[in-house]
Amino acid sequence: KAMSSNRQLSWPGSEGGLLSNIIEEEHEGVNTQEKIHGAMYPIQIYPLFENALRAEKGISIEEHNKNLADFCAEFSNIASENPYAWFREKKSSREIGQITDANRMIGFPYPKFMNSIMNVNQAAGVIVTSNEIAEKLSIPKNKWVYLHGGAEANDKWFVSDRVSYTISPAIREISKTALEMAGITLDQIDFFDLYSCFPCAPIIAAKSMGMDLNTLPPLTITGGLPYFGGAGNNYSMHAIAQAVEMLRKNPNNFGYISALGWFITKHAAGIYSGIEPQRPWDRSGFPDIQQKIEDMDSPEICEAPEGPATVETYTVIHDRQGKPDNAIIIARLDDARRCWAKTKDDQELLLSMGKEEFIGKKGFVSPGNNSPNIMRFK
């Protein structure tokens, strides 16, 4: 609220080390080509993954939109019963999927009610200590919850370089490693909370972990980011806190909590239980997951494409009145090189891109020369 009204708050700055401790080197989340083509923010990039998932399934836009609304309604239902949720009004599948003034389209196929909202005021805390310290502090053992396995890795850093837009090699590898550390299998997990900033995120995570997408268990214990809140990737702290409460009531259960940063880029997972592990915590002896991912081949990027091309994935970004504003396209040239493109300002074309499948459609792309490449379909 202060930012929107240009008010200066009397909060402490970074003097004396406050708010300045960065755990790892900071990397910008997007590259120059992505910026040029307007793919800079989650509302512009996550729809690219979602549309790729739809095309892979081979279902119609209408069917996919219904499936999305049903999926989100389950999350909303869980949030409505959570006293810590920011949005506790239960939304039906129809409310979430129907385009209205209150639920305008943002980045096709996501209307507003499928997007996570940053303007929440929530906080969570987790205390981590040893058994010895917990005993000294006289913390009752029925409150102890243990981390049994954990791992983290990044997918190829830039969206341009991803091996696939429907699966995450990093999630696949960290889930395998975390389960191996915990000494259990996926079917022994009693509950999940898979990071859920947009519907495609938990679906891609579940798919990458080897779950059957036709018989998914609930993928959230809080209600997920669009309904529970968060905010941002601190959401995962809330999921861990929720898991601790659940495991204190059912200590023999196992919970799997995942975290995510940027654009399905940074990943972490932890497996928690009230059962005391039979071995000391030890992360040594596990393979270098990150190097395995970096060694995967990425498509070559063409910054100045010219010639026939096929749409690999796309989205249509809408303005604040819900009117189609521009399209963002990832395409493949005939030689398999990948490129970014936009379209000319053509309302008829933009409207049709939200109604008919454009993934797999052939067109002609021309170079933008430090401005967006342009893809034409006629």
Side-chain angles (χ1 to χ4, degrees), residues 2-3 7-12:
M3 288 172 66
R7 274 196 307 125
Q8 189 68 37
L9 297 175
S10 58
W11 286 359

Side-chain angles (χ1 to χ4, degrees), residues 6 22 99 117 183-184 194 233 259 265 273 287 314 336 358 364 366:
N6 293 317
I22 304 300
I99 305 303
I117 305 296
I184 60 173
L194 305 184
N233 51 17
T265 309
S273 177
Y314 73 101
F358 265 66
F364 188 92
S366 53

